[in-house]
Amino acid sequence: MIRKLEQEPMLAARVTVEDGLCLLLDVDDIDRFLQFNQLQDGGAQLRQKRQVLLEGLAASLQLVDPLAKNGHTDELAQKDDNLSFYG
């Protein structure tokens, strides 16, 4: 019998955590690469990729960036039970 992921909350949580750990390992790899290598562009592309990975992780965990500079508060940021993301 095949069940949807929504019907298996513990499995869904595990998948979310494992995906998050993979993203964090990718970010760590980028950080280490930038630390020990000199790139012609100063690592701009890798830094951008790092930022995209962190933003994707924050979005998947529904984290709110309290330092967002977009000037508006979205519906997610108005809830009291959200975690804050510091990137």
Side-chain angles (χ1 to χ4, degrees):
M1 181 168 115
I2 298 175
R3 297 180 70 166
K4 293 183 178 182
L5 198 56
E6 295 87 25
Q7 295 172 330
E8 298 288 339
M10 294 301 287
L11 179 60
R14 180 177 176 171
V15 169
T16 300
V17 169
E18 289 176 353
D19 288 350
L21 287 174
C22 288
L23 288 173
L24 289 174
L25 287 172
D26 289 345
V27 169
D28 187 54
D29 287 345
I30 291 171
D31 288 345
R32 289 174 190 270
F33 187 83
L34 290 172
Q35 181 180 3
F36 295 109
N37 295 286
Q38 296 294 327
L39 303 175
Q40 288 182 348
D41 67 351
Q45 289 181 339
L46 283 176
R47 290 178 200 283
Q48 182 179 8
K49 180 177 180 177
R50 179 187 185 278
Q51 185 63 31
V52 168
L53 289 171
L54 287 174
E55 288 172 0
L57 177 61
S60 71
L61 297 175
Q62 298 182 344
L63 300 177
V64 177
D65 183 356
L67 305 176
K69 298 176 184 172
N70 57 10
H72 71 279
T73 304
D74 56 71
E75 182 179 325
L76 185 61
Q78 294 175 2
K79 295 182 181 178
D80 293 334
D81 60 347
N82 289 319
L83 299 172
S84 293
F85 170 67
Y86 295 94

